[in-house]
Amino acid sequence: MNDRVYLDWNATAPLRPEARAAMGAALELAGNPSSIHAEGQAARRVIEEVRDQIAALVGADPKLVTFGSGGTEANNLALTPALQVGADKAPRDRLLISAIEHASVRAGGEFAPDAIEEVPVTAAGVVDGETLVERLTALARDGRRVLVSVMLANNETGVVQPIPEVAARVHEAGGLLHVDAVQAAGRIPCDINTLGADLLTLSAHKLGGPKGAGALIRREEAVHLPRPLVRGGGQERGLRAGTENVAAIAGFGAAAEAARRNLEAEGRRMTALRERLETGLQAATPKAIIIGAESPRVPNTTLVAVPGMKAETAVIALDLAGFAVSSGAACSSGKVQASHVLAAMGASKDLARGGVRISLGWSTAETDIDRFINAWINVAGSLLKGIRGMAA
Ligand code: PLP
């Protein structure tokens, strides 16, 4: 298994060594972070140091960082009609989401299904600004109180959404904005104030921390969540009850810190690697379509489709050849379905089942890319054989 090449970093990133070390040290701490004795306070210190590290990654106030079990939980915590801003305590009654959100946003949190509306995206995978403004204006006219959720980077295409502009439109219409930054954090700058997000979601395992930790970050203290999801204890300033997962939080902080320190250099290196990859893919399979390539993208993600080539079959063949990639969205149920992201971008049914996602990370090397391209030549060659005019 040692010579396998892992190119599925958007599903999860391998643990960074810094995170492993921090987790090992945290596991040695005996105390409960809520205890007042020295052992408890040592565990508390770890959590508060990580709060500073996470806040630094997104330019936020540390006391507005709430830890939980990951991106899914943070999205669920954010999407609630009960959201308040200062003295404005009336419930939100509409949730607007883009058509390409992750399932944990599409589920709508605490909103009733008939209070949730989808805003389409363009063929380039970017939220349709005109429709967004139309819907915001119409809903404001009807006296609706809107919460909007738009992701910063899409997990399948890597396309980066114009969040500062979205935030400006949402705020002009009196709405609030939640941003799922799970696939963007550690890959591109994610300053909560520059973005203008009222709430921001992060997940540890996408940036080299452990699976099962994440955070919801508020931009201002005035944004208040009066009905937390997990109740029954005062942890996390009453926003998330239960003894904290100190080791996972420690790993999250170390990973965030490493990602922040190397953001620019890793970004540049990743961009060059992806260019090498996409040039190779296009030379090997000239009919390949790099989905979302005309839009700004996070530097680590390529979604490629070749007409006539089924993604599931390609992913299995590549796996057998020693390469871990995925077909569009990771299939949490083990069942591969046509991608809702590609369908929202107007791709044909065939193409929506054809996207192979190749996602890179800090330990990906040029040789990994070159080996992958060789494997792609073989796999595509044999899968496309017999489809006239398709083979490279
Ligand atoms: N949001 C996006 C965009 C994701 O890609 C994912 C994970 O795939 C999540 C949220 C969920 O995060 P977690 O796995 O930490 O629950």
Side-chain angles (χ1 to χ4, degrees):
M1 290 290 272
N2 275 350
D3 57 353
R4 283 187 61 86
V5 175
Y6 186 78
L7 298 173
D8 198 14
W9 292 65
N10 286 12
T12 194
L15 201 62
R16 289 184 189 257
E18 298 89 338
R20 182 174 289 106
M23 291 175 76
L27 283 170
E28 299 305 322
L29 299 172
N32 182 321
S34 296
S35 301
I36 55 169
H37 46 61
E39 287 82 353
Q41 289 313 294
R44 166 64 43 207
R45 264 196 305 281
V46 169
I47 294 177
E48 296 316 318
E49 277 166 23
V50 173
R51 214 181 295 284
D52 290 345
Q53 291 170 318
I54 300 304
L57 182 67
V58 298
D61 179 344
K63 67 176 181 298
L64 303 181
V65 173
T66 302
F67 293 119
S69 70
T72 299
E73 182 183 328
N75 285 342
N76 274 274
L77 177 62
L79 302 185
T80 172
L83 205 57
Q84 301 175 348
V85 187
D88 179 5
K89 295 189 182 343
R92 303 269 135 193
D93 55 7
R94 263 288 187 284
L95 175 65
L96 276 190
I97 63 173
S98 87
I100 55 168
E101 295 300 311
H102 184 263
S104 56
V105 166
R106 279 159 71 81
E110 303 281 293
F111 282 85
D114 63 359
I116 306 169
E117 263 184 54
E118 267 187 20
V119 178
V121 297
T122 65
V126 178
V127 66
D128 178 348
E130 232 170 81
T131 310
L132 175 68
V133 170
E134 265 170 32
R135 289 309 300 145
L136 286 169
T137 311
L139 289 165
R141 207 175 35 229
D142 293 349
R144 296 288 187 187
R145 298 170 49 76
V146 181
L147 172 63
V148 178
S149 183
V150 178
M151 66 201 334
L152 181 49
N154 182 263
N155 42 306
E156 294 185 36
T157 61
V159 169
V160 174
Q161 304 298 317
I163 295 299
E165 290 89 74
V166 169
R169 301 291 91 80
V170 170
H171 292 147
E172 276 162 23
L176 289 173
L177 178 66
H178 164 255
V179 171
D180 176 347
V182 162
Q183 293 288 351
R187 296 179 183 151
I188 55 171
C190 281
D191 184 281
I192 194 167
N193 290 297
T194 310
L195 293 169
D198 299 296
L199 294 155
L200 192 80
T201 290
L202 300 182
S203 170
H205 73 103
K206 308 287 184 180
L207 46 78
K211 298 158 189 72
L216 182 67
I217 298 141
R218 291 173 292 146
R219 183 159 52 97
E220 291 175 353
E221 191 144 30
V223 175
H224 181 51
L225 293 152
R227 250 191 90 71
L229 280 181
V230 185
R231 298 184 288 274
Q235 290 91 349
E236 294 299 285
R237 294 170 191 261
L239 287 178
R240 209 280 189 170
T243 302
E244 300 88 339
N245 187 343
V246 182
I249 290 172
F252 185 14
E257 185 63 24
R260 186 174 70 85
R261 250 196 338 265
N262 300 318
L263 190 66
E264 269 186 40
E266 272 184 19
R268 272 196 304 275
R269 204 180 69 85
M270 215 70 66
T271 303
L273 284 178
R274 189 180 56 186
E275 256 168 51
R276 190 181 185 91
L277 170 68
E278 294 185 354
T279 305
L281 292 173
Q282 241 138 13
T285 40
K287 294 207 160 95
I289 300 163
I290 308 288
I291 293 152
E294 65 275 47
S295 302
R297 288 180 294 161
V298 280
N300 79 316
T301 307
T302 294
L303 184 66
V304 60
V306 184
M309 193 165 104
K310 270 208 176 129
E312 300 116 90
T313 325
V315 167
I316 292 166
L318 287 163
D319 184 35
L320 291 173
F323 299 84
V325 295
S326 85
S327 56
C331 38
S332 52
S333 58
K335 209 170 108 208
V336 184
Q337 288 167 336
S339 152
H340 74 280
V341 174
L342 293 185
M345 290 167 70
S348 67
K349 237 188 183 156
D350 238 22
L351 210 60
R353 290 188 73 99
V356 176
R357 182 182 69 188
I358 305 144
S359 49
L360 323 178
W362 61 268
S363 68
T364 308
E366 261 184 18
T367 49
D368 296 331
I369 301 296
D370 295 345
R371 285 177 56 201
F372 179 78
I373 291 165
N374 279 332
W376 177 266
I377 292 170
N378 291 335
V379 166
S382 69
L383 294 183
L384 294 174
K385 208 159 48 194
I387 305 177
R388 197 143 39 108
M390 289 292 183

